[in-house]
Amino acid sequence: MLSLLVLALPWPGPLLRQLGRTLLCALAGAACVAAAAQGQPPAPRDVPAPVARHAGGMLVVPFMGVWEDTARNLDIEAVRDPRNADRFAYPENPLKGAESDRVLWFRLRLQLADPADALREWLLLVPTVSTHELRFYGPYDSAGRALAEPVVTGMRHPWSTRPAASEQMAWRFQLPDAGMYTVYFRVESTFARFYAARVWDLPDYLQATQDKRMFDGVCYGLLMGLVVFSTVMLLVFRESIYVWYLVSCAGALLALAGFNGHTLRYPFAHWPAAAEFFYAVAPPLWAISKLMFGRSLLRLSYFAPRLDKVVLAMVAALGLATVYGLVGANPLWLFRMVQASVMLSTVVLVAGAVTAMRRRYWPAVLYCAGVALLLVGICAIIVASWGWVAWTPGQMDLTQAVLVAESIVFAAAMASRVRLLRNSEEALTVRTQELVEALGTDALTGAANRAGLTQRAEAALRDGQPFALMLLDLDGFKGVNDTHGHAAGDAVLAAMVQRLRTQLRADDLVARLGGDEFAVLVAGAPPRDVIAGMARRMAASAVQPVAFEGRSLTVGMSLGIACHPADGATLADLLRAADRAMYACKRRKPGAECYAFASELPA
């Protein structure tokens, strides 16, 4: 009922139709297991399959006899020997099977359901890309004559050996009449899990694979986009987490391309050994980089040091298993290690994510979501490879979809991490500014700030010490900012502080009160002409051009001077008096003195 509902849904476009077919295949696999468990009648034995056009191809598994060549040395003549005819068995559930290193012979009898199809070209499709070698023989007529030359193809042979240019193992044939014909094919494989052969009308098959190819293309495009994204992030931030994410996306891309047969079709069409190498090495490369990425993203060394050591141990074990699998005689052991590590790492990393979430590290939430997505698809393919449930092609498509989705969620988790780091950096900047303010220093110029001036002036007022207070304002500073930018303005402010310090004594203080406003505290009670001479020298130094990026920036200076105790008993009184004198100076005609004493202003 659910299958009918899925078929009836208005899938908008080929991608959703592919996902719908993926779900249907998974449901069909479960239905096969349920049917077997309920004791369905056995399939026919050694009878011809009625070849005819079927939507989705004609499943010929019930008509396939299987003979395992344990010695791995049988030839076609021995297999066709009538004395060995009874060696072909018809298993109850040939769709169910675990990965194993073996050689199998299959026998299939075919007969046209409609003699009018005698001129039609058919395709015998064995839905696997991981077969080391596959040999097709026949069709043989009733007299034992072969109608075509044998075909040898597989992962260990160049792409040009594929008769139908199909990623999956396929063989083209014709049946000249309605007689019964026999086909044999030999399979040597380590990784192939099932051999659910179908007979297709060739044009129907080519049309049916368009959606799958578009689905694969979109998945590859997304992963390649993530590779570019992680490369840019690595160049910008230069952090190891982006290296591991980049390698995990590249490993996922290589693994999917290998599982779909595209590494042999495109980059290594004439170099099958390279395609087989990447088929074996891409999954552990993805698993190792995924572990290291999770370790970096979750900051396990900080939040969960013990789990961090477990992850490092798993990475070391996977690295050794990869080397052993490549140089040893049992590559299947490497795949078992990868499968086990994916399951175990999910538990370990989720535990680390939960620990991080308790410390309010929110990128861990998105990481958990990504792991949960992957778990949905990866469990299906791993459990099927262990032989616990029926294997269907749709399980690989489901795994492919969730692997890409997981990578996208992990990219979002990295973005969340960047945002968290930026917020932390902003908070640290604010806190640093607060500390600098508390220490009485202006962060831009290194002069004292308002707090520093207040602290120094209040100390002098408490001790009853006399001092003069100069209030300085830069003339034309706004034009510098507006014309050349704030960076130029900052350069002018820093230069002004340095020039003011050269005109002051050791006990004097220069402070920046804000913007382009400065104050100078002149300790003691120097005569009026000494203070006036200091003011003139300050103004003269200020008008000297400031060099900035090849440009000369020029400002002027106006000064207002108030003295304690004559012009005020508090710092606030002195600042108001000096401010009044400074603005009086600004209102003077050009050529007048650049300073003014508060005591000389009219009441």
Side-chain angles (χ1 to χ4, degrees):
M1 191 67 184
L2 183 57
S3 300
L4 295 176
L5 177 62
V6 173
L7 283 173
L9 287 176
W11 297 104
L15 291 180
L16 291 181
R17 287 200 300 272
Q18 180 64 30
L19 291 176
R21 291 194 182 102
T22 297
L23 178 59
L24 278 178
C25 289
L27 293 172
C32 289
V33 175
Q38 294 173 3
Q40 294 294 322
R45 296 293 191 266
D46 201 17
V47 296
V51 177
R53 292 183 64 184
H54 288 270
M58 175 186 174
L59 185 67
V60 294
V61 170
F63 307 93
M64 288 167 48
V66 184
W67 178 9
E68 182 169 0
D69 180 8
T70 55
R72 310 170 78 98
N73 59 4
L74 291 175
D75 58 18
I76 183 62
E77 299 305 324
V79 171
R80 293 183 61 236
D81 191 324
R83 292 172 297 181
N84 293 325
D86 293 339
R87 291 180 176 270
F88 284 93
Y90 294 83
E92 294 295 333
N93 189 4
L95 286 178
K96 181 178 178 181
E99 296 163 329
S100 62
D101 187 8
R102 56 187 175 176
V103 173
L104 299 176
W105 282 89
F106 292 90
R107 182 181 65 191
L108 176 62
R109 304 195 192 280
L110 303 173
Q111 188 172 27
L112 290 175
D114 183 355
D117 289 332
L119 298 179
R120 189 178 299 278
E121 188 168 18
W122 303 96
L123 196 70
L124 177 62
L125 181 73
V126 182
T128 176
V129 302
S130 58
T131 299
H132 296 313
E133 185 177 85
L134 198 152
R135 303 178 184 178
F136 293 97
Y137 299 92
Y140 292 93
D141 61 16
S142 57
R145 294 189 298 266
L147 304 185
E149 294 294 324
V151 172
V152 180
T153 186
M155 287 182 67
R156 293 175 178 169
H157 298 272
W159 176 257
S160 57
T161 61
R162 302 292 175 93
S166 170
E167 290 83 6
Q168 298 179 348
M169 306 300 174
W171 174 59
R172 300 166 69 167
F173 68 95
Q174 286 182 302
L175 300 179
D177 52 46
M180 186 176 70
Y181 294 85
T182 304
V183 171
Y184 297 88
F185 56 98
R186 177 187 184 273
V187 176
E188 180 183 351
S189 176
T190 299
F191 308 111
R193 302 171 181 88
F194 73 110
Y195 305 95
R198 290 178 181 270
V199 171
W200 286 80
D201 174 63
L202 182 58
D204 288 348
Y205 172 75
L206 296 177
Q207 180 64 34
T209 56
Q210 294 303 312
D211 290 351
K212 167 62 175 169
R213 290 177 180 175
M214 183 176 293
F215 174 73
D216 291 341
V218 170
C219 291
Y220 297 160
L222 289 171
L223 286 174
M224 291 179 69
L226 292 175
V227 167
V228 174
F229 162 75
S230 56
T231 302
V232 173
M233 297 292 281
L234 174 61
L235 294 175
V236 172
F237 294 104
R238 300 183 182 277
E239 291 186 70
S240 61
I241 185 174
Y242 300 109
V243 175
W244 297 121
Y245 184 73
L246 170 62
V247 176
S248 69
C249 290
L253 181 60
L254 284 173
L256 291 182
F259 294 156
N260 289 322
H262 291 136
T263 51
L264 180 61
R265 178 169 188 174
Y266 296 111
F268 304 116
H270 305 290
W271 192 8
E276 194 168 12
F277 170 80
F278 281 106
Y279 185 92
V281 81
L285 178 67
W286 167 77
I288 290 173
S289 56
K290 182 174 177 292
L291 278 169
M292 294 300 294
F293 168 76
R295 173 177 176 264
S296 298
L297 179 69
L298 298 175
R299 298 176 60 194
L300 291 185
S301 60
Y302 175 74
F303 291 117
R306 293 182 180 178
L307 290 179
D308 183 61
K309 293 179 180 178
V310 173
V311 171
L312 290 176
M314 293 174 63
V315 168
L318 268 176
L320 293 175
T322 303
V323 174
Y324 175 79
L326 293 176
V327 303
N330 190 5
L332 188 57
W333 189 75
L334 172 59
F335 268 60
R336 295 287 188 231
M337 282 288 294
V338 173
Q339 292 168 350
S341 73
V342 170
M343 303 295 287
L344 180 59
S345 66
T346 299
V347 177
V348 173
L349 292 174
V350 166
V354 171
T355 303
M357 280 189 287
R358 289 178 178 175
R359 305 281 290 275
R360 298 182 180 274
Y361 182 66
W362 303 123
V365 178
L366 284 171
Y367 184 83
C368 279
V371 170
L373 273 174
L374 182 66
L375 198 60
V376 171
I378 210 72
C379 281
I381 191 172
I382 290 178
V383 172
S385 70
W386 290 346
W388 293 359
V389 298
W391 171 269
T392 62
Q395 290 165 354
M396 186 59 229
D397 292 340
L398 178 63
T399 299
Q400 177 170 322
V402 298
L403 192 151
V404 175
E406 181 207 43
S407 299
I408 294 173
V409 174
F410 283 175
M414 285 199 302
S416 174
R417 173 182 174 271
V418 170
R419 182 178 180 181
L420 182 64
L421 292 175
R422 187 186 66 183
N423 292 341
S424 299
E425 184 178 354
E426 290 176 353
L428 182 60
T429 301
V430 171
R431 180 57 180 162
T432 301
Q433 183 66 29
E434 291 174 351
L435 292 174
V436 169
E437 291 289 336
L439 292 172
T441 304
D442 177 61
L444 175 63
T445 63
N449 58 15
R450 187 178 292 271
L453 175 66
T454 300
Q455 182 180 3
R456 178 72 175 274
E458 292 292 344
L461 290 170
R462 283 194 306 269
D463 296 340
Q465 298 174 355
F467 61 89
L469 184 67
M470 295 182 178
L471 202 61
L472 294 69
D473 185 78
L474 301 182
D475 301 328
F477 180 77
K478 184 177 184 301
V480 172
N481 264 345
D482 294 343
T483 304
H484 303 287
H486 290 285
D490 292 345
V492 169
L493 295 175
M496 289 302 110
V497 169
Q498 295 299 323
R499 294 176 183 181
L500 289 173
R501 282 176 171 163
T502 62
Q503 308 301 326
L504 301 177
R505 301 167 301 175
D507 294 337
D508 299 334
L509 175 73
V510 58
R512 181 183 175 220
L513 304 183
D516 61 335
E517 189 177 30
F518 295 88
V520 173
L521 189 151
V522 181
R528 179 187 178 283
D529 59 338
V530 173
I531 297 175
M534 292 177 63
R536 292 190 190 97
R537 291 194 299 271
M538 290 178 187
S541 67
V543 298
Q544 296 299 317
V546 176
F548 176 76
E549 294 182 351
R551 291 166 285 179
S552 295
L553 310 177
T554 305
V555 295
M557 181 178 290
S558 297
L559 300 92
I561 306 169
C563 297
H564 170 71
D567 296 320
T570 66
L571 178 61
D573 293 340
L574 292 168
L575 285 172
R576 279 192 294 270
D579 185 68
R580 188 169 63 252
M582 181 185 68
Y583 278 98
C585 178
K586 283 180 174 289
R587 290 192 295 268
R588 291 178 179 178
K589 295 179 181 180
E593 288 286 5
C594 61
Y595 63 90
F597 283 88
S599 59
E600 296 178 353
L601 297 179

